[in-house]
Amino acid sequence: MSVTSVQTPRRAGRDAGPRPPVALVVVCAALAIVLLVPLGYVVSVVADVGWATLEPLIFRPRVGELLVNTVLLVVLGVPLTVLLGVGGAWLVERTTLPARRFWAVVLVAPLAIPAFVSSYGWASVVPSIHGLSGGLLVSVLAYYPLVYLPAMAAIRGLDPALEESARSLGSSSWAVFGRVVLPQLRLAVLGGGLIVALHLLAEYGAFAFIRFDTFTTAIVVQYQSTFAGPAAGALGVVLSALCLTLLIAEAGARGRARYARIGSGAPRAAVPQRLGAFTPLVLLALAALGVAAVAVPLASVVRWLGRGGGGGAWSQPELPAALTQTVLLAGGGAVAAVLVALPLAWLTARHPGPLARLLEGTSYVAASLPAIIVALALVTVTLRVLPGLYQTAFTVVLAYVMIFLPRALVPLRSGIAQAPVALEETARSLGYTPLVARLRVTLPLLVPSLAAGAALVGLGAANELTATLLLAPTGTRTLATQFWSQASAIDYPAAAPYALLLILLSVPAVALMFAQSRRWGVR
């Protein structure tokens, strides 16, 4: 019997779960309140400063210029990343592309290179790079893998029956791709595109290098000159409004529909589409993409290392401390994010319902705001309410949790959903308490998800620049901040070792993301 895939709407009430424990709800509610602090900061800016003061600061030519730059960056950059991400995923998963495994790795490799390091590499090679064109070049090359990975997983999970049926009715390969495949990739494309858009709005270092002004770069300049004065607050309000608008638009475009297979049988591998005479052209395009996204930044780092005298570049006294503090802060952020995500993921997976969705949604709202807004919120709250926490490691770790929590929440929620409840019930029937049963039975099953979430948060935290610059204790040096300090002083040879160490630290987490995407695609 044939197997088909259909788009099925989710029914109201279908996901209603058992009543959650009161203690779990209280914990998740308390976490949600903390996670909403950045959004509360934006609201408080409007309330404290007043519209009469904010209006002339918002409606002025400078804000209009920043708005045009930022909107054009998103409007042009997101479609380009979708084109590269979906196109690359289709080539490596569904065509006769030679050396597909090699190109699959090349296409994901830019994730191991922080965007500001990529910008540093291009600024070294092309000193004249600047403006919107430079911003698009750097950001698209750095962020298209965020669309490529979910698109690859989605394509691997597609049943080819619908495509074969369309071809049997006379549709061309292009028609099949546009009418059959793309609609089934909607969730992956919208999700990846949203992540890219939020990164574009939040990025600071990559655009500061090439002198491209956005809201985030302007807020940092205002903060440095007025210490979060009304002008910085006004820009933050506009930037937050843009981010929340994107979040709402993506939710509306995604809708409530899901694609599911019905019928008996099992999905089988699709027959690869022959590239034929287009093979040399496709290989040339992929090679050019790999050179631009990977080879240029790496070659620049190696070149500046050589100019720094090799061993001399590595003899900087701040280097060991920067590496140690990066590992400690990123590791602390990873552990804290996993601990915060665990109760939220448990509530969502074991007790689904409107309350669970509401509390879980706070993590996505907080993470959708740029790191500069999170940092300004924590600066304001700590100075006004808890001055003892201002510029402490605790505040830095808290910022990492707010910014990167969804990276831990998604794999944990998936892992808990797949852990059989029957195993816990069996352990309880043998005399174990519910807590002991979960610790001895369910927790070991969650180790891969815990490791994946921690690795993804650690990757983001190690490369995070804006919040670390604003919140880190005096004297704190991370690889990202030291790289930024040296590169901003045009001392590129001294910056090169920090860039290389950032890349090396990122490789394991990116490899894990790549492996998970391929595994999720075949479930």
Side-chain angles (χ1 to χ4, degrees):
M1 183 176 179
S2 63
V3 182
T4 56
S5 300
V6 296
Q7 190 179 28
T8 57
R10 298 177 64 182
R11 293 176 298 176
R14 175 183 172 184
D15 55 354
R19 186 181 298 274
V22 175
L24 179 61
V25 174
V26 170
V27 169
C28 291
L31 293 174
I33 292 173
V34 175
L35 292 173
L36 288 177
V37 164
L39 184 60
Y41 162 77
V42 175
V43 175
S44 70
V45 166
V46 178
D48 293 345
V49 176
W51 181 246
T53 302
L54 284 177
E55 183 179 9
L57 293 174
I58 292 177
F59 295 100
R60 55 192 173 110
R62 176 57 175 164
V63 175
E65 295 173 6
L66 296 174
L67 184 62
V68 170
N69 285 349
T70 304
V71 170
L72 284 177
L73 180 70
V74 174
V75 170
L76 298 176
V78 172
L80 288 173
T81 59
V82 169
L83 177 64
L84 292 177
V86 174
W90 177 257
L91 287 173
V92 300
E93 293 296 335
R94 287 295 185 87
T95 71
T96 56
L97 178 71
R100 287 193 295 175
R101 286 182 176 272
F102 169 77
W103 292 114
V105 174
V106 169
L107 287 170
V108 79
L111 276 184
I113 305 175
F116 54 84
V117 173
S118 179
S119 179
Y120 153 87
W122 274 98
S124 302
V125 174
V126 187
S128 61
I129 186 173
H130 72 284
L132 177 63
S133 59
L136 284 172
L137 174 67
V138 171
S139 59
V140 169
L141 292 177
Y143 293 133
Y144 80 83
L146 296 175
V147 178
Y148 166 74
L149 282 177
M152 181 183 67
I155 290 174
R156 286 176 68 85
L158 295 182
D159 192 318
L162 279 178
E163 301 164 48
E164 294 171 359
S165 297
R167 290 193 187 91
S168 69
L169 295 176
S171 297
S172 65
S173 296
W174 285 108
V176 170
F177 182 77
R179 297 176 183 176
V180 178
V181 176
L182 275 183
Q184 298 182 81
L185 300 182
R186 187 181 67 174
L187 296 180
V189 168
L190 288 174
L194 174 65
I195 295 173
V196 170
L198 293 176
H199 274 78
L200 293 177
L201 292 178
E203 181 58 49
Y204 167 67
F207 299 143
F209 261 123
I210 57 177
R211 305 177 302 283
F212 178 55
D213 293 335
T214 66
F215 277 111
T216 299
T217 61
I219 290 173
V220 173
V221 172
Q222 287 290 340
Y223 175 84
Q224 292 171 341
S225 60
T226 64
F227 196 72
L235 294 176
V237 169
V238 179
L239 181 57
S240 300
L242 287 175
C243 292
L244 294 176
T245 300
L246 280 174
L247 200 64
I248 295 171
E250 189 271 342
R254 183 176 66 237
R256 299 180 64 84
R258 298 293 183 269
Y259 287 95
R261 297 175 61 250
I262 60 173
S264 59
R268 47 190 172 76
V271 177
Q273 300 298 302
R274 298 187 63 84
L275 293 176
F278 291 99
T279 300
L281 184 61
V282 169
L283 290 175
L284 181 62
L286 290 176
L289 180 60
V291 168
V294 181
V296 168
L298 287 180
S300 296
V301 171
V302 172
R303 178 166 63 91
W304 286 116
L305 275 175
R307 292 193 177 184
W314 292 100
S315 62
Q316 301 177 65
E318 300 88 356
L319 193 60
L323 177 59
T324 302
Q325 292 181 356
T326 298
V327 172
L328 290 176
L329 287 176
V335 172
V338 167
L339 292 177
V340 171
L342 191 55
L344 290 170
W346 191 277
L347 179 66
T348 305
R350 290 293 176 86
H351 308 281
L355 177 62
R357 286 196 297 269
L358 176 64
L359 294 176
E360 182 194 26
T362 60
S363 67
Y364 294 98
V365 172
S368 71
L369 298 176
I372 183 65
I373 301 298
V374 175
L376 290 176
L378 292 179
V379 166
T380 302
V381 170
T382 53
L383 285 177
R384 293 181 180 180
V385 181
L386 299 167
L389 294 180
Y390 176 65
Q391 285 194 328
T392 62
F394 175 86
T395 309
V396 177
V397 169
L398 180 58
Y400 291 163
V401 171
M402 290 178 170
I403 296 168
F404 302 114
L405 182 60
R407 298 190 181 197
L409 185 57
V410 170
L412 268 178
R413 184 181 57 195
S414 176
I416 293 172
Q418 293 172 359
V421 180
L423 293 180
E424 290 181 28
E425 296 173 348
T426 301
R428 293 175 63 181
S429 69
L430 296 176
Y432 292 107
T433 64
L435 178 60
V436 174
R438 289 164 184 164
L439 291 176
R440 298 195 62 174
V441 176
T442 305
L443 185 59
L445 299 177
L446 298 182
V447 169
S449 298
L450 291 168
L456 298 181
V457 174
L459 170 65
N463 295 332
E464 210 294 313
L465 178 63
T466 313
T468 309
L469 284 172
L470 270 62
L471 298 173
T474 303
T476 298
R477 297 181 177 90
T478 67
L479 294 176
T481 59
Q482 278 299 106
F483 166 83
W484 181 252
S485 175
Q486 301 290 3
S488 299
I490 320 297
D491 192 353
Y492 288 169
Y498 299 102
L500 184 58
L501 286 176
L502 281 171
I503 294 171
L504 294 177
L505 283 179
S506 302
V507 168
V510 172
L512 180 61
M513 292 173 64
F514 178 68
Q516 281 192 328
S517 296
R518 295 180 68 85
R519 183 167 62 250
W520 288 338
V522 297
R523 287 178 179 176

